[in-house]
Amino acid sequence: MTDRERMEKGKALLDLLEERHSLSREEWHFLLENRDGELAGEVCSRAAALRDRIYGKKVFVRGLIEFTNYCRCDCRYCGIRRSNKNASRYRLTPEQIMSCCEAGYDLGFRTFVLQGGEDPYFTDQRMVELIRAIKGEFPDCALTLSIGERPRESYAAFRQAGADRYLLRHETANEEHYRLLHPEEQTLKNRMECLKNLKELGYQTGAGCMVGSPGQTADCLIDDLEYLTRLQPEMVGMGPFIPHHDTPFRDYPSGSVELTLYLLGLVRLLLPSVLLPATTALGTAAEGGRELGVKAGANVVMPNLSPENVREKYLLYDNKIHTGREAAECLEDLKKSMAAIGYEVVVDRGDFIPC
Ligand code: 5AD
């Protein structure tokens, strides 16, 4: 095949993707294997145009509160895995969490994301109290949870208490790859079961994976794309793998920024109205990474509202950006950098637009 023919075939597949919102394995393979500058540019511009058609030139912000870094899981990629004895552990009090929300609210934030490790201290009862307190004080805000795997009944109780959304990356939809990334006791089956439960309970649900994690192949990525096609999540979190020095994966290279951007674009074309963050990992892996993410079809950013003294402790990977700047300053910076590429940062709830 000549370069020109390859490009023509790539474009035809993108037409198909935009039309049918799914592709065969073979078609995904072609797109992943022919990711040269020209095709990547095409994916990016189509994805950005589609996002603009649905959401306008808007980037939604979510106030991220990393409220505990205790974790009972032992994911081999993650800096807060339980085996990492060097991690300095912390947990915010309900009062501290409420004051993060208050500060965020005053800045205009209307979505809060409570993210934490799988910390047994935060029992269902404690979570329900926290959710009630936040939704009671800020009824006009959306509340997103990101606290890992729990039984269906727990998810139901949180939903009942007022939680609106839930982020739980599937991490990889390939069984063998899942085994490489996680210890025996964590299973892909349970992860997928959780995601199914979340959807059924009416959460706006976020799945997702890292790009370039150790052992990830094109086939793994295709499994991810096929899983996303089946699940139809409202949100997808996808950022590059970045090694953490106190994990078994310390010596592996970071995932490629270009491949991450390409996949963000493909996910936009696959799930047109998906809420797609330009992740902190993307911002860490490349200067201006989050802006590149927005240019490739992302439409969400999640600035940190956690107290400054704990931010450096929520270290999932090395060099995670935690500017030490206050949330207010971060928001101002973000507004400027997004304005510079033609996007407006908006603080409203930014709910999923079904289409
Ligand atoms: N590099 C990039 N992302 C990571 N995460 C965890 N560890 C790393 C890492 N080393 C991601 C996981 C998790 C999310 C909260 O952060 O995908 O779901």
Side-chain angles (χ1 to χ4, degrees), residues 77-79 115 169 171 191 210 240-244 281 316-317:
Y77 45 84
C78 184
Q115 184 165 86
R169 290 191 180 175
E171 308 298 357
R191 198 85 179 166
M210 293 175 287
F241 161 77
I242 302 174
H244 183 290
L316 305 182
Y317 43 82

Side-chain angles (χ1 to χ4, degrees), residues 58-64 104 107-113 142 165 290 299-303 305 330-331 334-335 338 344-350:
K58 288 182 184 172
V59 174
F60 300 106
V61 289
R62 318 299 196 195
L64 182 64
L107 290 171
F109 285 87
R110 293 297 176 268
T111 296
F112 301 118
V113 182
R165 306 179 184 154
R290 289 194 290 196
N299 64 338
V300 173
V301 283
M302 298 166 65
L305 294 181
C330 289
L331 188 60
L334 202 58
K335 283 182 178 165
M338 292 299 156
E344 183 199 358
V345 169
V346 293
V347 284
D348 65 46
R349 285 175 54 123

Side-chain angles (χ1 to χ4, degrees), residues 4 47 52 61-62 74-75 79 120 161 183 202 214 235 242 260 282 312 323:
R4 203 198 146 98
D52 292 355
V61 289
R62 318 299 196 195
D74 218 14
C75 310
M235 303 170 280
I242 302 174
T260 304
L282 185 58
E312 61 202 24
T323 49

